[in-house]
Amino acid sequence: VFVSREAAILHADADCFHASVEQRDRPELRGRPVIVGPGVVTSPSYEARAYGVRSAMGGRLARRLCPQAVFVKPRWDAYVEAGKALFEVFERTAPVVEGLSMEEAFLDVSGLRRISGSPIEIAARLRREVRERVGLPITVGVGRTKLVAKVASGVAKPDGLLVVPPASELAFLHALRVESLWGVGPSTAEKLNAHGISTVGQAARLSQAELISILGRASGRSVHALAHNRHPERVRARRGRGSFGAQSALGRTTRSADAIDVVVIGLVDRVTRRMRAAGRAGRTVVLRMRFGDFSRATRSYTLSRATAASETVLAAMRALLRSVATVIERKGLTLVGVTVSNLDARYGGIQLELPLERRSRSALDRALDELRERFGTGAIIRAALLGRGSELSPALLADEAARRRD
DNA sequence: TCTGGGGTCCTAGGACCC
DNA sequence: TCTGGGGTCCTAGGACCC
């Protein structure tokens, strides 16, 4: 069990990340309420938060609360870029960095006192360097455990630094509302509230058995441990991601099956391109849906082999869509998503696309020869015809089913 | 609060295996 | 013969996070 004696875990978190990037790149937005994203608000600036605008809030309500706000379309490329720059500074600051998202990470700075100074000094310098090199404000929380560090940065926002010394940890945590704990969202908070528990301190007075009886095993254990500041997890670099996905909200207008198919093709293409670029393949294809009444559902299908091929994933998606056609017709589809998970294999493949006019047997043979030359005769080479009217789905799935039986 | 887009982890039942 | 104990994998859904 890992127990650090001093507060040497940093949680660094960019403030209102998206809005801050916009304000950095467009000086005329500085000091003004900025809201990124019509539709749903991803990241309101603090000027907008002052009017009650929150992330994940509907755009219409946000506009009502803060009519003078500037609405800005999200620029994802710019955020990815800024996130990379942010992590470059993180990596320079600490030997072990655990990224939680594009704009947030834990840094373990124990053992750096001789080289870089105390955790507080390191945290202050980190904030300065991010400001200088990336041009963004960040908040840093410092604690002995990840939990305390994370909660501390949340409390210190915006543009702040808060160190919670080991002696004050419990007092610090117990004063907070239960929602501040990691993994406690609206549903869990409501269950606790129903038992008269609204603060972490109140939760800490319950036994683990009592919490499990209220919340179930995993949540009960987790809340019990966190409320006592038992969160002995090391800071460690994350292993690779577990899935690739893309989704698209369709709005409330009813779409024909053909129109849905067009959206799905685009989503599959996006996901599989990213997978191939990352050199990953997956076996499970998940269709994610939201309906007119805002209920949700998923359907999944597991292939016998991992793939990153567009037409294989598309075939599976089409079959899944057919299986829920009547539900979609009855309730209306307002969101559709594709996720490929079960990423158990490296995908060492490469995809060569031949223009249609060169789609001849000899052109194909030349391409295959080229692949064999590059990857050796031991490589598994699969070819598929792409293009208009290619309807591989039923045959492909029948093939999968047959292989399973075998 | 009337709803985007990208993820993670947990639970539970059923099929199937030895 | 008609059934114990242990396990894996798949599917679907829920909760949560940024």
Side-chain angles (χ1 to χ4, degrees), chain A residues 71 147-148 153 229 271 293 401:
Chain A
F71 279 74
L147 170 70
V148 170
S153 77
N229 194 27
V271 169
D293 59 0

Side-chain angles (χ1 to χ4, degrees), chain A residues 71-106:
Chain A
F71 279 74
V72 180
K73 268 203 181 145
R75 293 181 302 139
W76 293 102
D77 292 351
Y79 309 147
V80 169
E81 199 61 33
K84 280 183 188 157
L86 204 55
F87 272 77
E88 273 171 29
V89 180
F90 292 167
E91 304 279 356
R92 258 209 306 277
T93 303
V96 189
V97 175
E98 177 175 343
L100 296 177
S101 69
M102 214 192 292
E103 75 268 15
E104 184 188 355
F106 287 115

Side-chain angles (χ1 to χ4, degrees), chain A residues 84-279:
Chain A
K84 280 183 188 157
L86 204 55
F87 272 77
E88 273 171 29
V89 180
F90 292 167
E91 304 279 356
R92 258 209 306 277
T93 303
V96 189
V97 175
E98 177 175 343
L100 296 177
S101 69
M102 214 192 292
E103 75 268 15
E104 184 188 355
F106 287 115
L107 288 76
D108 186 345
V109 300
S110 58
L112 292 184
R113 193 174 283 272
R114 279 242 172 103
I115 312 161
S116 315
S118 69
I120 306 167
E121 290 165 344
I122 296 172
R125 194 166 53 240
L126 175 64
R127 281 176 21 83
R128 214 165 42 235
E129 278 191 23
V130 168
R131 173 71 83 173
E132 280 164 13
R133 293 175 192 256
V134 191
L136 296 176
I138 67 164
T139 295
V140 180
V142 186
R144 195 177 51 86
T145 61
K146 285 183 181 177
L147 170 70
V148 170
K150 173 141 169 94
V151 176
S153 77
V155 171
K157 276 181 171 301
D159 203 10
L161 168 58
L162 178 62
V163 181
V164 180
S168 5
E169 279 171 349
L170 278 180
F172 172 72
L173 287 177
H174 285 182
L176 300 167
R177 303 188 59 75
V178 282
E179 294 93 308
S180 313
L181 290 180
W182 226 346
V184 177
S187 160
T188 306
E190 197 176 317
K191 285 178 201 160
L192 290 170
N193 291 344
H195 287 75
I197 294 153
S198 56
T199 69
V200 177
Q202 289 168 338
R205 282 199 282 278
L206 265 54
S207 70
Q208 177 171 281
E210 286 169 310
L211 283 166
I212 287 176
S213 78
I214 298 171
L215 302 175
R217 197 173 51 186
S219 289
R221 275 186 192 164
S222 157
V223 168
H224 183 74
L226 294 179
H228 293 278
N229 194 27
R230 278 199 289 274
H231 188 239
E233 275 179 25
R234 272 174 194 286
V235 176
R236 56 172 179 190
R238 290 267 160 145
R239 28 183 199 84
R241 58 157 85 219
S243 65
F244 287 81
Q247 59 184 58
S248 180
L250 303 173
R252 303 204 66 95
T253 47
T254 313
R255 312 273 182 124
S256 67
D258 276 352
I260 291 171
D261 193 56
V262 169
V263 175
V264 167
I265 290 171
L267 292 172
V268 169
D269 183 55
R270 215 151 85 205
V271 169
T272 51
R273 268 176 203 277
R274 279 165 48 208
M275 292 178 70
R276 292 193 293 264

Side-chain angles (χ1 to χ4, degrees), chain A residues 298-318:
Chain A
T298 62
R299 291 291 184 276
S300 60
Y301 181 79
T302 300
L303 305 159
S304 64
R305 286 199 194 90
T307 185
S310 310
E311 84 274 21
T312 308
V313 176
L314 181 59
M317 280 294 294
R318 283 179 169 155

Side-chain angles (χ1 to χ4, degrees), chain A residues 11 13 41 50 57 66 99 142 158 209 232 247 256 270 274 298 302 310 324 330 341 369 374-375 404:
Chain A
H11 178 258
D13 196 357
V41 176
M57 184 179 265
C66 187
V142 186
Q247 59 184 58
S256 67
R270 215 151 85 205
R274 279 165 48 208
T298 62
T302 300
S310 310
V324 286
R330 197 173 68 244
S341 61
D369 282 344
R374 286 167 68 172
F375 295 101
R404 252 172 219 245

Side-chain angles (χ1 to χ4, degrees), chain A residues 388-404:
Chain A
R388 265 187 315 181
S390 71
E391 265 293 351
L392 299 172
S393 32
L396 231 154
L397 290 177
D399 178 42
E400 288 290 346
R403 252 184 286 166
R404 252 172 219 245

